Amino acid sequence: MSGVRAAVAHALCMLAALLLPSLAPSVHAQGAPRIAAAADLRPALTQLAAEFRRAGGGEVMITFGASGTLSRQLAQGAPFALFLSADEQLVFDLVRAGVAEGPGVALGVGQLAFVARRGSPLAGEVRRLGLAAAIQRAQIEHFAIANPAHAPYGARAAEVLRRTGLWDRLGGRLVLGETVSQALEFVLSGNAQCGIVAYALASDPALAGRLDLVPLPQSWHRPLVQRMVLIKRADPGARRFYAFLQTPAARRVFAHYGLVPPGGGAARGG
Amino acid sequence: MVDWEALRLSLLLGSATVAILLPLAVLIGRWLAATRFRGRAVIEAALTLPLILPPTVIGFYLLVGMGPDSVVGQAWRGLFGTSLVFSFQGVLVASVLVNLPFAIQPCQRAFEAIGGEVRDAAAMCGLGLWQGLWRIELPLARSGIVTGAVFTFAHTLGEFGVVLMVGGSIPGETRTLALSIYDRVQAFDNDGAARMAAILLAIATVAVTISFAIGGQRRHG
């Protein structure tokens, strides 16, 4: 019995050692502004939040999700001070509902990219033959996109698939991610052979060695203007971050991820 | 609108989970109730884990553990030529794992309640292990087994997080009623969500009532 007791004590000590770091003061300062942002903005916004902190702006707390889901939560009074949406229509709806301080600022026109795991021949085939021909020739088991019902990038990916005649052909082989991030995760984990996701997400430098991507023409789908807007009674910290995101330096970061304001020149290719 | 296909899939998933899990749960529950050995606590703890772990943890391990880079995923592809993730079979595997404690614990409690004397008496009467189990213990443990089955079925209907992580929301394959409700809410279709939520509420209420009614019968009968 003493052996069991010693083992339990040992296990508890191990657990305590494991959890010790969590007792350190949280990096999230009390009262840091809360920001809700579309999943595709994660790479760009993570970089911008770090630059904001270095410039003395302090911490910001960012929650990433499907824009439709976030706007729904905001309409129900979720405590965010700033909303960055993948689809400006959702921003306009919130302004009309009296939740947000209109009209907000356009961040850029979202671009789609075809993605496949590094080492798969699919991306090369798409470059060589075009999307429709390459996918029709390939043996695709699962093709990942975000859920068109509530993720703007999913809706646009569905438009591209319909336009290229692939929608009916893929049928039950389409797998839907909860957000565009989850759709990309399906491809990265190898569970889906390929997919169509946000270029802004797939061009994350952290994924460079794991992913092949082919930017898709923006003329293939209705424009997807990303727009940010302050929520009514936003705190001063959130307003400072909102102003920072409009500086030329911040614009350059967005442009690096393929997000250029409408009429602001051509989006980068990959 | 009601997503009938999703309802059919949920009912199928619930039935299949019960069919696979119940025999296992009876055997494991009986074994845990009747034997004492070192390390039993570890096994009991492992079988209870799915009750405690968040669905995201289970979903993450399944996504990696059944994926194309995994032994299981490769073996499945070798046998059937398809992927386990994003398939009904994959969701069924997840469902069986998640429901282990829901099925085993009521069975185990029922067998524990029978006590060693009854088992000894059965053995004295010359009944072998399987005969004793079939003719004496199973009838006595019936209410616990039914409770395990009902809870497993009802819990499968409500399973959401794990299916969201490994299912891919494919209509007719992995889009269960719980996922369909979530989709409707996200798409601002409150009417559709409300109708389907009412169906789930009704099924769960009936299931739990059955379980309590049978449990009560044994106490009074």
mmCIF file of all heavy atoms in Angstrom, chain A residues 4 68-69 71-72 90 117 141-142 147 149-150 172 174-176 178 182 185-186 189-193, chain B residues 38 63 66-69 77 81-83 85-86 164-165 168-170 175 182-188 190:
data_model
loop_
_atom_site.group_PDB
_atom_site.id
_atom_site.type_symbol
_atom_site.label_atom_id
_atom_site.label_comp_id
_atom_site.label_asym_id
_atom_site.label_seq_id
_atom_site.Cartn_x
_atom_site.Cartn_y
_atom_site.Cartn_z
ATOM 1 N N VAL A 4 1.907 2.278 -3.361
ATOM 2 C CA VAL A 4 0.883 3.042 -4.084
ATOM 3 C C VAL A 4 0.923 4.491 -3.640
ATOM 4 O O VAL A 4 0.899 5.419 -4.445
ATOM 5 C CB VAL A 4 -0.518 2.439 -3.832
ATOM 6 C CG1 VAL A 4 -1.587 3.325 -4.442
ATOM 7 C CG2 VAL A 4 -0.590 1.036 -4.414
ATOM 8 N N GLY A 68 -18.556 35.221 -39.495
ATOM 9 C CA GLY A 68 -19.993 35.116 -39.272
ATOM 10 C C GLY A 68 -20.295 34.820 -37.808
ATOM 11 O O GLY A 68 -21.196 35.403 -37.204
ATOM 12 N N THR A 69 -19.516 33.909 -37.228
ATOM 13 C CA THR A 69 -19.702 33.544 -35.831
ATOM 14 C C THR A 69 -19.419 34.734 -34.918
ATOM 15 O O THR A 69 -20.177 35.023 -33.994
ATOM 16 C CB THR A 69 -18.753 32.382 -35.475
ATOM 17 O OG1 THR A 69 -18.910 31.351 -36.438
ATOM 18 C CG2 THR A 69 -19.042 31.829 -34.096
ATOM 19 N N SER A 71 -19.460 37.974 -35.656
ATOM 20 C CA SER A 71 -20.422 39.074 -35.801
ATOM 21 C C SER A 71 -21.712 38.730 -35.065
ATOM 22 O O SER A 71 -22.354 39.583 -34.466
ATOM 23 C CB SER A 71 -20.697 39.358 -37.273
ATOM 24 O OG SER A 71 -21.544 38.384 -37.807
ATOM 25 N N ARG A 72 -22.050 37.452 -35.088
ATOM 26 C CA ARG A 72 -23.211 36.963 -34.363
ATOM 27 C C ARG A 72 -23.045 37.214 -32.861
ATOM 28 O O ARG A 72 -23.943 37.681 -32.174
ATOM 29 C CB ARG A 72 -23.307 35.460 -34.645
ATOM 30 C CG ARG A 72 -24.329 34.734 -33.851
ATOM 31 C CD ARG A 72 -25.441 34.353 -34.744
ATOM 32 N NE ARG A 72 -26.687 34.729 -34.175
ATOM 33 C CZ ARG A 72 -27.828 34.098 -34.439
ATOM 34 N NH1 ARG A 72 -27.854 33.115 -35.278
ATOM 35 N NH2 ARG A 72 -28.933 34.487 -33.897
ATOM 36 N N LEU A 90 -20.723 42.075 -43.154
ATOM 37 C CA LEU A 90 -21.010 41.796 -41.740
ATOM 38 C C LEU A 90 -20.812 43.048 -40.893
ATOM 39 O O LEU A 90 -21.534 43.293 -39.930
ATOM 40 C CB LEU A 90 -20.108 40.659 -41.233
ATOM 41 C CG LEU A 90 -20.345 39.294 -41.880
ATOM 42 C CD1 LEU A 90 -19.197 38.337 -41.586
ATOM 43 C CD2 LEU A 90 -21.663 38.712 -41.395
ATOM 44 N N ARG A 117 -0.168 19.950 -49.510
ATOM 45 C CA ARG A 117 1.000 19.720 -48.673
ATOM 46 C C ARG A 117 2.268 19.732 -49.519
ATOM 47 O O ARG A 117 2.267 19.227 -50.637
ATOM 48 C CB ARG A 117 0.888 18.371 -47.954
ATOM 49 C CG ARG A 117 0.605 18.579 -46.476
ATOM 50 C CD ARG A 117 1.157 17.541 -45.542
ATOM 51 N NE ARG A 117 0.752 16.166 -45.752
ATOM 52 C CZ ARG A 117 0.831 15.261 -44.790
ATOM 53 N NH1 ARG A 117 1.231 15.612 -43.592
ATOM 54 N NH2 ARG A 117 0.506 14.017 -45.016
ATOM 55 N N GLU A 141 -9.517 12.608 -52.773
ATOM 56 C CA GLU A 141 -10.438 11.952 -51.839
ATOM 57 C C GLU A 141 -11.158 12.981 -50.977
ATOM 58 O O GLU A 141 -12.351 12.868 -50.731
ATOM 59 C CB GLU A 141 -9.656 10.974 -50.963
ATOM 60 C CG GLU A 141 -10.560 10.022 -50.231
ATOM 61 C CD GLU A 141 -9.781 9.035 -49.386
ATOM 62 O OE1 GLU A 141 -8.523 9.033 -49.431
ATOM 63 O OE2 GLU A 141 -10.426 8.265 -48.672
ATOM 64 N N HIS A 142 -10.392 13.977 -50.514
ATOM 65 C CA HIS A 142 -11.003 15.033 -49.702
ATOM 66 C C HIS A 142 -10.437 16.386 -50.100
ATOM 67 O O HIS A 142 -9.225 16.544 -50.209
ATOM 68 C CB HIS A 142 -10.752 14.782 -48.212
ATOM 69 C CG HIS A 142 -11.427 13.565 -47.690
ATOM 70 N ND1 HIS A 142 -12.784 13.384 -47.756
ATOM 71 C CD2 HIS A 142 -10.930 12.453 -47.104
ATOM 72 C CE1 HIS A 142 -13.095 12.219 -47.230
ATOM 73 N NE2 HIS A 142 -11.991 11.631 -46.832
ATOM 74 N N ASN A 147 -16.522 26.403 -44.187
ATOM 75 C CA ASN A 147 -17.971 26.202 -44.327
ATOM 76 C C ASN A 147 -18.625 27.421 -44.993
ATOM 77 O O ASN A 147 -18.630 28.509 -44.422
ATOM 78 C CB ASN A 147 -18.579 25.969 -42.946
ATOM 79 C CG ASN A 147 -20.004 25.469 -43.042
ATOM 80 O OD1 ASN A 147 -20.725 25.808 -43.975
ATOM 81 N ND2 ASN A 147 -20.418 24.666 -42.088
ATOM 82 N N ALA A 149 -21.532 28.301 -45.252
ATOM 83 C CA ALA A 149 -22.705 28.833 -44.557
ATOM 84 C C ALA A 149 -22.359 30.002 -43.646
ATOM 85 O O ALA A 149 -23.168 30.892 -43.450
ATOM 86 C CB ALA A 149 -23.395 27.734 -43.754
ATOM 87 N N HIS A 150 -21.164 30.017 -43.082
ATOM 88 C CA HIS A 150 -20.866 31.121 -42.167
ATOM 89 C C HIS A 150 -19.425 31.605 -42.177
ATOM 90 O O HIS A 150 -19.042 32.403 -41.341
ATOM 91 C CB HIS A 150 -21.301 30.774 -40.736
ATOM 92 C CG HIS A 150 -20.830 29.433 -40.272
ATOM 93 N ND1 HIS A 150 -19.586 29.227 -39.785
ATOM 94 C CD2 HIS A 150 -21.453 28.240 -40.250
ATOM 95 C CE1 HIS A 150 -19.455 27.964 -39.469
ATOM 96 N NE2 HIS A 150 -20.570 27.332 -39.743
ATOM 97 N N GLY A 172 -19.543 14.955 -52.492
ATOM 98 C CA GLY A 172 -19.343 14.471 -51.135
ATOM 99 C C GLY A 172 -17.897 14.423 -50.691
ATOM 100 O O GLY A 172 -17.611 14.046 -49.558
ATOM 101 N N LEU A 174 -16.051 17.068 -50.564
ATOM 102 C CA LEU A 174 -15.735 18.356 -49.941
ATOM 103 C C LEU A 174 -15.808 18.214 -48.430
ATOM 104 O O LEU A 174 -16.812 17.736 -47.903
ATOM 105 C CB LEU A 174 -16.748 19.417 -50.367
ATOM 106 C CG LEU A 174 -16.505 20.127 -51.697
ATOM 107 C CD1 LEU A 174 -17.656 21.076 -51.959
ATOM 108 C CD2 LEU A 174 -15.188 20.894 -51.676
ATOM 109 N N VAL A 175 -14.767 18.608 -47.716
ATOM 110 C CA VAL A 175 -14.845 18.644 -46.253
ATOM 111 C C VAL A 175 -14.797 20.096 -45.812
ATOM 112 O O VAL A 175 -14.036 20.905 -46.353
ATOM 113 C CB VAL A 175 -13.729 17.826 -45.582
ATOM 114 C CG1 VAL A 175 -13.958 16.354 -45.810
ATOM 115 C CG2 VAL A 175 -12.367 18.231 -46.082
ATOM 116 N N LEU A 176 -15.652 20.426 -44.844
ATOM 117 C CA LEU A 176 -15.830 21.825 -44.467
ATOM 118 C C LEU A 176 -15.194 22.105 -43.115
ATOM 119 O O LEU A 176 -15.516 21.454 -42.125
ATOM 120 C CB LEU A 176 -17.328 22.147 -44.400
ATOM 121 C CG LEU A 176 -18.139 21.759 -45.636
ATOM 122 C CD1 LEU A 176 -19.600 22.146 -45.457
ATOM 123 C CD2 LEU A 176 -17.568 22.419 -46.886
ATOM 124 N N GLU A 178 -14.565 24.535 -39.864
ATOM 125 C CA GLU A 178 -15.363 25.494 -39.097
ATOM 126 C C GLU A 178 -14.922 26.925 -39.453
ATOM 127 O O GLU A 178 -15.733 27.823 -39.584
ATOM 128 C CB GLU A 178 -15.152 25.187 -37.612
ATOM 129 C CG GLU A 178 -15.744 26.134 -36.633
ATOM 130 C CD GLU A 178 -17.122 26.573 -37.033
ATOM 131 O OE1 GLU A 178 -17.830 25.823 -37.729
ATOM 132 O OE2 GLU A 178 -17.466 27.697 -36.681
ATOM 133 N N GLN A 182 -9.285 26.006 -39.894
ATOM 134 C CA GLN A 182 -9.473 24.564 -39.751
ATOM 135 C C GLN A 182 -9.384 23.867 -41.102
ATOM 136 O O GLN A 182 -8.833 22.772 -41.206
ATOM 137 C CB GLN A 182 -10.820 24.234 -39.082
ATOM 138 C CG GLN A 182 -10.832 22.811 -38.537
ATOM 139 C CD GLN A 182 -12.189 22.314 -38.087
ATOM 140 O OE1 GLN A 182 -13.216 22.877 -38.421
ATOM 141 N NE2 GLN A 182 -12.187 21.238 -37.330
ATOM 142 N N GLU A 185 -5.849 23.426 -41.694
ATOM 143 C CA GLU A 185 -5.327 22.380 -40.805
ATOM 144 C C GLU A 185 -5.616 20.985 -41.383
ATOM 145 O O GLU A 185 -4.781 20.091 -41.300
ATOM 146 C CB GLU A 185 -5.939 22.540 -39.411
ATOM 147 C CG GLU A 185 -5.699 21.385 -38.446
ATOM 148 C CD GLU A 185 -4.232 21.019 -38.284
ATOM 149 O OE1 GLU A 185 -3.369 21.933 -38.368
ATOM 150 O OE2 GLU A 185 -3.945 19.829 -38.086
ATOM 151 N N PHE A 186 -6.788 20.822 -42.005
ATOM 152 C CA PHE A 186 -7.128 19.546 -42.641
ATOM 153 C C PHE A 186 -6.087 19.191 -43.715
ATOM 154 O O PHE A 186 -5.724 18.040 -43.893
ATOM 155 C CB PHE A 186 -8.518 19.607 -43.285
ATOM 156 C CG PHE A 186 -9.660 19.605 -42.300
ATOM 157 C CD1 PHE A 186 -10.911 20.071 -42.673
ATOM 158 C CD2 PHE A 186 -9.497 19.139 -41.007
ATOM 159 C CE1 PHE A 186 -11.975 20.056 -41.779
ATOM 160 C CE2 PHE A 186 -10.557 19.124 -40.097
ATOM 161 C CZ PHE A 186 -11.796 19.590 -40.496
ATOM 162 N N SER A 189 -2.482 18.519 -42.039
ATOM 163 C CA SER A 189 -2.384 17.235 -41.344
ATOM 164 C C SER A 189 -2.451 16.074 -42.337
ATOM 165 O O SER A 189 -2.325 14.924 -41.939
ATOM 166 C CB SER A 189 -3.493 17.104 -40.307
ATOM 167 O OG SER A 189 -4.760 17.070 -40.942
ATOM 168 N N GLY A 190 -2.671 16.368 -43.622
ATOM 169 C CA GLY A 190 -2.689 15.327 -44.644
ATOM 170 C C GLY A 190 -4.030 14.625 -44.757
ATOM 171 O O GLY A 190 -4.188 13.722 -45.570
ATOM 172 N N ASN A 191 -5.002 15.014 -43.933
ATOM 173 C CA ASN A 191 -6.304 14.353 -44.001
ATOM 174 C C ASN A 191 -7.077 14.738 -45.255
ATOM 175 O O ASN A 191 -7.881 13.976 -45.751
ATOM 176 C CB ASN A 191 -7.119 14.646 -42.747
ATOM 177 C CG ASN A 191 -6.591 13.893 -41.541
ATOM 178 O OD1 ASN A 191 -6.516 12.670 -41.569
ATOM 179 N ND2 ASN A 191 -6.178 14.609 -40.507
ATOM 180 N N ALA A 192 -6.848 15.970 -45.751
ATOM 181 C CA ALA A 192 -7.377 16.367 -47.059
ATOM 182 C C ALA A 192 -6.170 16.575 -47.978
ATOM 183 O O ALA A 192 -5.156 17.117 -47.551
ATOM 184 C CB ALA A 192 -8.198 17.646 -46.949
ATOM 185 N N GLN A 193 -6.293 16.137 -49.236
ATOM 186 C CA GLN A 193 -5.146 16.250 -50.151
ATOM 187 C C GLN A 193 -4.858 17.695 -50.524
ATOM 188 O O GLN A 193 -3.726 18.071 -50.771
ATOM 189 C CB GLN A 193 -5.389 15.449 -51.440
ATOM 190 C CG GLN A 193 -5.286 13.950 -51.274
ATOM 191 C CD GLN A 193 -6.518 13.402 -50.590
ATOM 192 O OE1 GLN A 193 -7.625 13.831 -50.852
ATOM 193 N NE2 GLN A 193 -6.320 12.463 -49.686
ATOM 194 N N ARG B 38 -3.740 -5.231 -8.288
ATOM 195 C CA ARG B 38 -2.970 -3.982 -8.292
ATOM 196 C C ARG B 38 -3.060 -3.356 -9.681
ATOM 197 O O ARG B 38 -3.013 -4.046 -10.678
ATOM 198 C CB ARG B 38 -1.506 -4.275 -7.986
ATOM 199 C CG ARG B 38 -1.241 -4.596 -6.533
ATOM 200 C CD ARG B 38 0.243 -4.845 -6.350
ATOM 201 N NE ARG B 38 1.000 -3.616 -6.588
ATOM 202 C CZ ARG B 38 1.666 -2.969 -5.643
ATOM 203 N NH1 ARG B 38 1.666 -3.422 -4.421
ATOM 204 N NH2 ARG B 38 2.339 -1.867 -5.933
ATOM 205 N N LEU B 63 -7.496 13.247 -34.690
ATOM 206 C CA LEU B 63 -7.133 13.835 -35.979
ATOM 207 C C LEU B 63 -5.708 13.427 -36.353
ATOM 208 O O LEU B 63 -5.414 13.089 -37.502
ATOM 209 C CB LEU B 63 -7.236 15.367 -35.895
ATOM 210 C CG LEU B 63 -7.332 16.142 -37.196
ATOM 211 C CD1 LEU B 63 -8.577 15.759 -37.963
ATOM 212 C CD2 LEU B 63 -7.341 17.642 -36.918
ATOM 213 N N MET B 66 -5.533 9.161 -36.332
ATOM 214 C CA MET B 66 -6.195 8.427 -37.418
ATOM 215 C C MET B 66 -5.798 8.984 -38.784
ATOM 216 O O MET B 66 -6.262 8.525 -39.811
ATOM 217 C CB MET B 66 -7.730 8.502 -37.279
ATOM 218 C CG MET B 66 -8.288 7.980 -35.980
ATOM 219 S SD MET B 66 -10.104 7.758 -35.966
ATOM 220 C CE MET B 66 -10.705 9.400 -36.372
ATOM 221 N N GLY B 67 -4.946 10.005 -38.789
ATOM 222 C CA GLY B 67 -4.562 10.681 -40.033
ATOM 223 C C GLY B 67 -3.679 9.830 -40.921
ATOM 224 O O GLY B 67 -3.280 8.726 -40.544
ATOM 225 N N PRO B 68 -3.354 10.327 -42.119
ATOM 226 C CA PRO B 68 -2.608 9.523 -43.094
ATOM 227 C C PRO B 68 -1.168 9.243 -42.661
ATOM 228 O O PRO B 68 -0.538 8.339 -43.179
ATOM 229 C CB PRO B 68 -2.635 10.389 -44.357
ATOM 230 C CG PRO B 68 -2.860 11.772 -43.874
ATOM 231 C CD PRO B 68 -3.682 11.661 -42.635
ATOM 232 N N ASP B 69 -0.640 10.039 -41.695
ATOM 233 C CA ASP B 69 0.731 9.797 -41.246
ATOM 234 C C ASP B 69 0.777 8.783 -40.105
ATOM 235 O O ASP B 69 1.850 8.417 -39.646
ATOM 236 C CB ASP B 69 1.363 11.112 -40.756
ATOM 237 C CG ASP B 69 1.387 12.159 -41.856
ATOM 238 O OD1 ASP B 69 1.356 11.753 -43.041
ATOM 239 O OD2 ASP B 69 1.424 13.358 -41.541
ATOM 240 N N ARG B 77 -6.300 2.457 -44.484
ATOM 241 C CA ARG B 77 -6.227 2.661 -45.934
ATOM 242 C C ARG B 77 -5.813 1.364 -46.626
ATOM 243 O O ARG B 77 -6.338 1.013 -47.684
ATOM 244 C CB ARG B 77 -5.244 3.788 -46.272
ATOM 245 C CG ARG B 77 -5.129 4.054 -47.769
ATOM 246 C CD ARG B 77 -4.377 5.337 -48.060
ATOM 247 N NE ARG B 77 -5.086 6.496 -47.577
ATOM 248 C CZ ARG B 77 -6.138 7.039 -48.206
ATOM 249 N NH1 ARG B 77 -6.602 6.510 -49.318
ATOM 250 N NH2 ARG B 77 -6.726 8.103 -47.707
ATOM 251 N N GLY B 81 -8.913 1.145 -48.332
ATOM 252 C CA GLY B 81 -8.613 2.081 -49.415
ATOM 253 C C GLY B 81 -9.209 3.461 -49.236
ATOM 254 O O GLY B 81 -9.241 4.247 -50.171
ATOM 255 N N THR B 82 -9.702 3.750 -48.012
ATOM 256 C CA THR B 82 -10.253 5.089 -47.769
ATOM 257 C C THR B 82 -9.607 5.667 -46.514
ATOM 258 O O THR B 82 -8.854 4.993 -45.819
ATOM 259 C CB THR B 82 -11.773 5.031 -47.534
ATOM 260 O OG1 THR B 82 -12.014 4.158 -46.430
ATOM 261 C CG2 THR B 82 -12.514 4.537 -48.754
ATOM 262 N N SER B 83 -9.905 6.932 -46.239
ATOM 263 C CA SER B 83 -9.365 7.541 -45.022
ATOM 264 C C SER B 83 -10.376 7.391 -43.894
ATOM 265 O O SER B 83 -11.586 7.350 -44.117
ATOM 266 C CB SER B 83 -9.041 9.014 -45.258
ATOM 267 O OG SER B 83 -10.164 9.821 -45.028
ATOM 268 N N VAL B 85 -10.421 9.468 -41.064
ATOM 269 C CA VAL B 85 -10.900 10.811 -40.744
ATOM 270 C C VAL B 85 -11.875 11.231 -41.846
ATOM 271 O O VAL B 85 -11.732 10.808 -42.996
ATOM 272 C CB VAL B 85 -9.710 11.791 -40.662
ATOM 273 C CG1 VAL B 85 -10.188 13.211 -40.395
ATOM 274 C CG2 VAL B 85 -8.765 11.368 -39.560
ATOM 275 N N PHE B 86 -12.866 12.051 -41.519
ATOM 276 C CA PHE B 86 -13.888 12.514 -42.469
ATOM 277 C C PHE B 86 -14.794 11.385 -42.953
ATOM 278 O O PHE B 86 -15.356 11.464 -44.030
ATOM 279 C CB PHE B 86 -13.295 13.186 -43.719
ATOM 280 C CG PHE B 86 -12.358 14.299 -43.433
ATOM 281 C CD1 PHE B 86 -11.184 14.451 -44.147
ATOM 282 C CD2 PHE B 86 -12.640 15.221 -42.438
ATOM 283 C CE1 PHE B 86 -10.314 15.490 -43.883
ATOM 284 C CE2 PHE B 86 -11.771 16.255 -42.171
ATOM 285 C CZ PHE B 86 -10.605 16.391 -42.889
ATOM 286 N N LEU B 164 -16.972 17.837 -34.579
ATOM 287 C CA LEU B 164 -16.586 19.079 -35.253
ATOM 288 C C LEU B 164 -15.109 19.028 -35.648
ATOM 289 O O LEU B 164 -14.717 19.553 -36.683
ATOM 290 C CB LEU B 164 -16.832 20.278 -34.325
ATOM 291 C CG LEU B 164 -16.637 21.661 -34.922
ATOM 292 C CD1 LEU B 164 -17.791 22.016 -35.840
ATOM 293 C CD2 LEU B 164 -16.508 22.721 -33.842
ATOM 294 N N MET B 165 -14.303 18.350 -34.823
ATOM 295 C CA MET B 165 -12.863 18.348 -35.089
ATOM 296 C C MET B 165 -12.430 17.294 -36.096
ATOM 297 O O MET B 165 -11.465 17.496 -36.816
ATOM 298 C CB MET B 165 -12.082 18.187 -33.792
ATOM 299 C CG MET B 165 -12.078 19.486 -33.009
ATOM 300 S SD MET B 165 -10.923 19.539 -31.659
ATOM 301 C CE MET B 165 -9.357 19.809 -32.466
ATOM 302 N N GLY B 168 -15.491 17.112 -40.493
ATOM 303 C CA GLY B 168 -15.491 17.859 -41.742
ATOM 304 C C GLY B 168 -16.889 18.207 -42.239
ATOM 305 O O GLY B 168 -17.040 18.685 -43.352
ATOM 306 N N SER B 169 -17.916 17.956 -41.422
ATOM 307 C CA SER B 169 -19.282 18.390 -41.727
ATOM 308 C C SER B 169 -19.764 17.961 -43.106
ATOM 309 O O SER B 169 -20.280 18.760 -43.878
ATOM 310 C CB SER B 169 -19.376 19.924 -41.584
ATOM 311 O OG SER B 169 -20.716 20.348 -41.526
ATOM 312 N N ILE B 170 -19.585 16.679 -43.445
ATOM 313 C CA ILE B 170 -20.010 16.174 -44.750
ATOM 314 C C ILE B 170 -21.441 15.667 -44.648
ATOM 315 O O ILE B 170 -21.717 14.753 -43.871
ATOM 316 C CB ILE B 170 -19.099 15.028 -45.230
ATOM 317 C CG1 ILE B 170 -17.645 15.484 -45.229
ATOM 318 C CG2 ILE B 170 -19.505 14.557 -46.620
ATOM 319 C CD1 ILE B 170 -16.666 14.346 -45.345
ATOM 320 N N ARG B 175 -22.129 14.914 -40.915
ATOM 321 C CA ARG B 175 -22.854 16.070 -40.375
ATOM 322 C C ARG B 175 -24.025 15.589 -39.536
ATOM 323 O O ARG B 175 -25.107 15.314 -40.054
ATOM 324 C CB ARG B 175 -23.333 16.999 -41.496
ATOM 325 C CG ARG B 175 -24.034 18.251 -40.930
ATOM 326 C CD ARG B 175 -24.538 19.182 -41.993
ATOM 327 N NE ARG B 175 -23.445 19.808 -42.716
ATOM 328 C CZ ARG B 175 -23.621 20.518 -43.842
ATOM 329 N NH1 ARG B 175 -24.821 20.681 -44.335
ATOM 330 N NH2 ARG B 175 -22.586 21.053 -44.445
ATOM 331 N N TYR B 182 -25.782 23.703 -35.058
ATOM 332 C CA TYR B 182 -24.726 24.722 -34.959
ATOM 333 C C TYR B 182 -24.621 25.516 -36.259
ATOM 334 O O TYR B 182 -24.567 26.745 -36.248
ATOM 335 C CB TYR B 182 -23.403 24.028 -34.642
ATOM 336 C CG TYR B 182 -22.213 24.944 -34.561
ATOM 337 C CD1 TYR B 182 -22.041 25.795 -33.469
ATOM 338 C CD2 TYR B 182 -21.254 24.958 -35.562
ATOM 339 C CE1 TYR B 182 -20.948 26.628 -33.392
ATOM 340 C CE2 TYR B 182 -20.156 25.791 -35.482
ATOM 341 C CZ TYR B 182 -20.003 26.618 -34.398
ATOM 342 O OH TYR B 182 -18.909 27.448 -34.327
ATOM 343 N N ASP B 183 -24.626 24.808 -37.382
ATOM 344 C CA ASP B 183 -24.561 25.472 -38.696
ATOM 345 C C ASP B 183 -25.720 26.439 -38.888
ATOM 346 O O ASP B 183 -25.532 27.550 -39.375
ATOM 347 C CB ASP B 183 -24.618 24.426 -39.822
ATOM 348 C CG ASP B 183 -23.235 23.923 -40.174
ATOM 349 O OD1 ASP B 183 -22.269 24.449 -39.610
ATOM 350 O OD2 ASP B 183 -23.134 23.004 -40.997
ATOM 351 N N ARG B 184 -26.922 25.990 -38.503
ATOM 352 C CA ARG B 184 -28.114 26.839 -38.671
ATOM 353 C C ARG B 184 -27.986 28.104 -37.825
ATOM 354 O O ARG B 184 -28.337 29.195 -38.257
ATOM 355 C CB ARG B 184 -29.384 26.072 -38.272
ATOM 356 C CG ARG B 184 -29.830 24.972 -39.224
ATOM 357 C CD ARG B 184 -30.230 25.515 -40.582
ATOM 358 N NE ARG B 184 -29.123 25.481 -41.517
ATOM 359 C CZ ARG B 184 -28.916 26.364 -42.487
ATOM 360 N NH1 ARG B 184 -29.737 27.354 -42.680
ATOM 361 N NH2 ARG B 184 -27.889 26.268 -43.290
ATOM 362 N N VAL B 185 -27.511 27.950 -36.590
ATOM 363 C CA VAL B 185 -27.352 29.122 -35.705
ATOM 364 C C VAL B 185 -26.343 30.094 -36.308
ATOM 365 O O VAL B 185 -26.583 31.301 -36.365
ATOM 366 C CB VAL B 185 -26.911 28.691 -34.288
ATOM 367 C CG1 VAL B 185 -26.599 29.914 -33.427
ATOM 368 C CG2 VAL B 185 -27.999 27.865 -33.618
ATOM 369 N N GLN B 186 -25.216 29.558 -36.790
ATOM 370 C CA GLN B 186 -24.183 30.424 -37.357
ATOM 371 C C GLN B 186 -24.683 31.128 -38.618
ATOM 372 O O GLN B 186 -24.224 32.198 -38.963
ATOM 373 C CB GLN B 186 -22.920 29.617 -37.711
ATOM 374 C CG GLN B 186 -22.292 28.909 -36.537
ATOM 375 C CD GLN B 186 -21.989 29.834 -35.394
ATOM 376 O OE1 GLN B 186 -21.498 30.935 -35.574
ATOM 377 N NE2 GLN B 186 -22.316 29.413 -34.186
ATOM 378 N N ALA B 187 -25.615 30.480 -39.317
ATOM 379 C CA ALA B 187 -26.138 31.065 -40.552
ATOM 380 C C ALA B 187 -27.383 31.925 -40.276
ATOM 381 O O ALA B 187 -28.108 32.266 -41.197
ATOM 382 C CB ALA B 187 -26.458 29.965 -41.559
ATOM 383 N N PHE B 188 -27.613 32.254 -38.984
ATOM 384 C CA PHE B 188 -28.716 33.127 -38.564
ATOM 385 C C PHE B 188 -30.094 32.525 -38.830
ATOM 386 O O PHE B 188 -31.066 33.246 -38.936
ATOM 387 C CB PHE B 188 -28.629 34.506 -39.243
ATOM 388 C CG PHE B 188 -27.297 35.162 -39.064
ATOM 389 C CD1 PHE B 188 -26.354 35.150 -40.076
ATOM 390 C CD2 PHE B 188 -26.975 35.770 -37.860
ATOM 391 C CE1 PHE B 188 -25.110 35.744 -39.904
ATOM 392 C CE2 PHE B 188 -25.733 36.372 -37.684
ATOM 393 C CZ PHE B 188 -24.800 36.362 -38.701
ATOM 394 N N ASN B 190 -32.562 30.897 -37.047
ATOM 395 C CA ASN B 190 -33.012 30.493 -35.718
ATOM 396 C C ASN B 190 -34.170 29.503 -35.762
ATOM 397 O O ASN B 190 -34.274 28.630 -34.907
ATOM 398 C CB ASN B 190 -33.411 31.716 -34.895
ATOM 399 C CG ASN B 190 -32.187 32.418 -34.313
ATOM 400 O OD1 ASN B 190 -31.071 31.954 -34.518
ATOM 401 N ND2 ASN B 190 -32.406 33.505 -33.612
#
